[in-house]
Structures are given as C-alpha cells and as structure tokens.
Amino acid sequence: DVVVTQSPLSLSVTLGQPASISCRSSQSLVFTDGDTYLNWFHQRPGQSPRRLIYKVSNRDSGVPDRFSGSGSGTDFTLKISRVEAEDIGVYYCMHSIQWPWTFGQGTKVEIK
Amino acid sequence: EVQLLESGGGLVQPGGSLRLSCVASGFTFSSSGMSWVRQAPGKGLEWVSLFHNEHGNTDTYYADSVKGRFAISRDNSRNTLYLQMNSLRADDTAFYYCAKGRGDYWGQGTLVTVSS
C-alpha cells in the first residue's frame, strides 16, 4: 500500500502569516496517464471534509487563491499565503493512484 | 448544485447489520465514481469502499478492514449509492460520508454506532 505522511501534525499560525504543510508518499504518485493523483482536503470542526486541491496544484471551484499546492513525484506541499480565521481545522493530503486510496494523518491548524 | 444526502445510520449491536444510502443530485450519477469514507470520532479519514468509474475501470474496492463484511452497490435509476454493512464491530463506529469521484463533493455524513 502507498503510505502518505504529513508534517507537521499541528501548526499554530498568526493571522495574516503564511503556513505550509508537507506531504510525502512512499512511492511516486504519477499515474500511467501522466497525471499525479495527490489531493488536499480541509475539515473544519463539526463539518464534512472539503477538497481544496486536486492533482497536486489545481484549486477546486470556490477555493481562495491564498491556497496553493505544489510538488512532484513523492514530495508535495500545501501553502496558505496569509492565514485567515476560517482556515482553522485539519488538513489532509490523500493519494488516489492505486487502491487503497489513503489519507495522511492530518495537520491541525490553529490560530495563535 | 451537487448534493449528496446520506441516511441509514444509527445504533446497532455488535454482529448486527445496517444499510446506508446516499441520494445524489446535481450531476450525472450514472457516469460518476462514488465512494464511502469514514471517520471514527476524533480520528482521521479512511476510504472504506469505492465504486470506480474511470479509465475504463468500473470495479468495486474495499479497505482490508471491511472486506467480506461490507458491500457497495448503486441504483442509477434512483441516483442512489448504498453500503450494506454486516457483522458490525465496535471499531466500525464512525461517521460515514458519501463522496463523489476522487472526493470533489461530500455529503454531511451519517453516524453509525456499534455498541451493546
């Protein structure tokens, strides 16, 4: 199975400051079609998860442009350029290159 | 607007069964891959089962933790996804979410509690 590992597992950020979360996979997430199947999700307390980024760097509809994804192969990063209060919660990376699709452990983001 | 509405959760005794349903609207259900994802209280996310529909693949998949006990199915005429859960155990207690495709849309979840 492909394992995805996030770091850090918790992050305390000042409003307006940047934040960055790393995700590393145990093998390449490049599929035979040439796409890289690494997604990022955000889950606020008491809510369902919401996908923010798909295929490494594509923002889903309605996602603010302060969120960006980057990386390739086995190393990926989610960046928030300026953290806002609504960004609190848990962020998960997730691969879907082969079954089982798996999530990282989650990174809890809080405001200082 | 895409909507996914789960139902069927509740309290069940160990060894019991439940069937979850997810009614979809706002997209072409019959051509979409669909999944069930669960989250135990206070824990992370686990992709439980997938009804794939991509790259010519229309197979079904299960996490090892539920293989042989859970069955995913769909009724395209009713735009509904199902998860039949048998031989339930305490560690199956979780919120169960229905998700479209590779997680682009999620339902609000339904809570399954397995306890005597």
Side-chain angles (χ1 to χ4, degrees):
Chain A
D1 295 359
V2 177
V3 177
V4 285
T5 305
Q6 290 179 232
S7 63
L9 298 185
S10 67
L11 203 49
S12 185
V13 188
T14 302
L15 287 173
Q17 293 301 300
S20 179
I21 301 169
S22 172
C23 178
R24 181 164 292 179
S25 61
S26 59
Q27 66 187 65
S28 173
L29 300 185
V30 182
F31 192 57
T32 52
D33 63 2
D35 284 329
T36 302
Y37 287 92
L38 187 282
N39 305 316
W40 289 95
F41 295 84
H42 175 217
Q43 185 176 32
R44 295 190 182 103
Q47 295 188 14
S48 304
R50 174 196 183 192
R51 197 176 71 180
L52 301 175
I53 303 283
Y54 63 96
K55 294 182 190 177
V56 181
S57 59
N58 297 277
R59 269 191 306 275
D60 275 280
S61 176
V63 174
D65 61 7
R66 64 179 182 275
F67 291 94
S68 64
S70 63
S72 63
T74 61
D75 287 288
F76 307 94
T77 302
L78 175 71
K79 291 183 180 175
I80 311 173
S81 59
R82 296 172 307 279
V83 171
E84 297 189 6
E86 65 181 17
D87 299 337
I88 64 164
V90 182
Y91 290 81
Y92 297 93
C93 62
M94 167 244 165
H95 86 84
S96 56
I97 189 171
Q98 66 185 53
W99 190 257
W101 297 356
T102 56
F103 294 90
Q105 314 95 301
T107 297
K108 186 173 184 178
V109 172
E110 63 174 21
I111 304 300
K112 272 186 193 171
Chain B
E1 180 193 4
V2 172
Q3 290 193 331
L4 299 170
L5 186 61
E6 303 97 333
S7 61
L11 175 63
V12 62
Q13 292 189 338
S17 298
L18 274 179
R19 188 176 82 154
L20 306 183
S21 300
C22 169
V23 178
S25 61
F27 64 99
T28 306
F29 179 78
S30 59
S31 60
S32 293
M34 297 293 298
S35 297
W36 290 98
V37 182
R38 71 182 179 183
Q39 185 172 38
K43 302 296 184 183
L45 297 163
E46 179 185 20
W47 216 285
V48 171
S49 184
L50 165 67
F51 211 121
H52 212 13
N53 194 354
E54 249 184 55
H55 304 119
N57 181 350
T58 56
D59 289 342
T60 56
Y61 299 86
Y62 299 93
D64 285 346
S65 57
V66 306
K67 201 174 295 182
R69 300 187 299 122
F70 289 13
I72 191 171
S73 62
R74 64 195 297 164
D75 183 341
N76 290 335
S77 68
R78 296 176 184 269
N79 284 0
T80 302
L81 181 74
Y82 301 100
L83 185 67
Q84 178 66 44
M85 304 187 296
N86 300 326
S87 303
L88 283 161
R89 312 185 303 221
D91 62 359
D92 294 318
T93 294
F95 279 95
Y96 285 75
Y97 297 100
C98 168
K100 173 182 171 291
R102 294 178 189 268
D104 52 342
Y105 291 94
W106 295 61
Q108 85 292 344
T110 186
L111 178 61
V112 172
T113 303
V114 184
S115 174
S116 54

